[in-house]
């Protein structure tokens, strides 16, 4: 689903619990040009309130081609090795989650975001004066 201002995609991911067991979960990806470097990923587990992570759009794109990220967020693709999945590892003080997502879902979502805001043009959408006003002390 796409509007003139945002791209939203619902994806079925697998929460990898062990080598032999995974659990399906709904993941919603959202891209808003008002925050052009960011993809918001909401995970719906067993509550009405989703768990939301903020991911870099470039990080997702880089993860399609190889291994990307470090520390709390790591993404890598298994495409080309007979597996058409992308893996997203999310870590926090509360633990770690490993998600398996179809490459095609991430790829088509990113294509839609890039049709809205091509990679490399994100900075032209940021109101730098407003951002600086938030960072600088008011006197």
């Amino acid at each position: 689903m796409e509007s003139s201002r945002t791209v939203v995609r619902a994806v079925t991911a697998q929460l990898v619990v062990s080598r032999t067991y995974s659990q399906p979960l709904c993941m919603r990806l959202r891209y808003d040009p008002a925050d052009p470097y960011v993809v918001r990923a909401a995970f719906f587990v067993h509550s009405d309130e989703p768990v939301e992570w903020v991911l870099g759009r470039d990080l997702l794109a880089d993860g399609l081609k190889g291994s990307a990220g470090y520390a709390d967020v790591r993404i890598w693709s298994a495409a080309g090795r007979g597996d058409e999945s992308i893996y997203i590892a999310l870590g926090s003080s509360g633990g770690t989650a490993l998600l398996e997502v179809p490459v095609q879902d991430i790829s088509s979502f990113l294509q839609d975001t890039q049709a809205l805001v091509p990679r490399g043009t994100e900075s032209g959408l940021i109101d730098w004066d407003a951002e600086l006003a938030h960072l600088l002390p008011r006197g």
Side-chain angles (χ1 to χ4, degrees):
M1 144 172 66
E2 181 177 339
S3 75
S4 62
R5 300 280 309 148
T6 62
V7 177
V8 178
R9 179 82 34 84
V11 175
T12 299
Q14 295 292 322
L15 175 62
V16 178
V17 178
S18 71
R19 288 182 181 258
T20 58
Y21 178 72
S22 63
Q23 178 177 355
L25 74 117
C26 182
M27 178 170 116
R28 183 184 65 223
L29 299 171
R30 184 173 190 278
Y31 177 78
D32 185 345
D35 200 358
Y37 291 103
V38 167
V39 170
R40 296 187 182 280
F43 303 98
F44 297 85
V45 187
H46 294 294
S47 68
D48 293 335
E49 290 298 316
V51 174
E52 186 174 273
W53 279 75
V54 177
L55 308 172
R57 181 171 72 154
D58 285 346
L59 181 68
L60 274 176
D62 292 346
L64 286 174
K65 297 179 220 150
S67 183
Y70 59 93
D72 292 346
V73 179
R74 291 174 295 135
I75 301 172
W76 65 96
S77 173
R81 291 184 288 183
D83 188 351
E84 293 301 316
S85 297
I86 190 167
Y87 293 89
I88 303 172
L90 304 171
S92 73
S93 60
T96 303
L98 177 60
L99 304 165
E100 181 180 353
V101 186
V103 167
Q104 185 54 44
D105 291 344
I106 299 295
S107 180
S108 67
F109 171 78
L110 288 172
Q111 287 173 359
D112 290 348
T113 70
Q114 291 171 23
L116 195 59
V117 178
R119 275 181 90 177
T121 67
E122 297 92 345
S123 66
L125 298 173
I126 296 175
D127 182 346
W128 292 107
D129 291 333
E131 293 297 324
L132 282 173
H134 289 316
L135 294 174
L136 300 175
R138 297 178 190 197

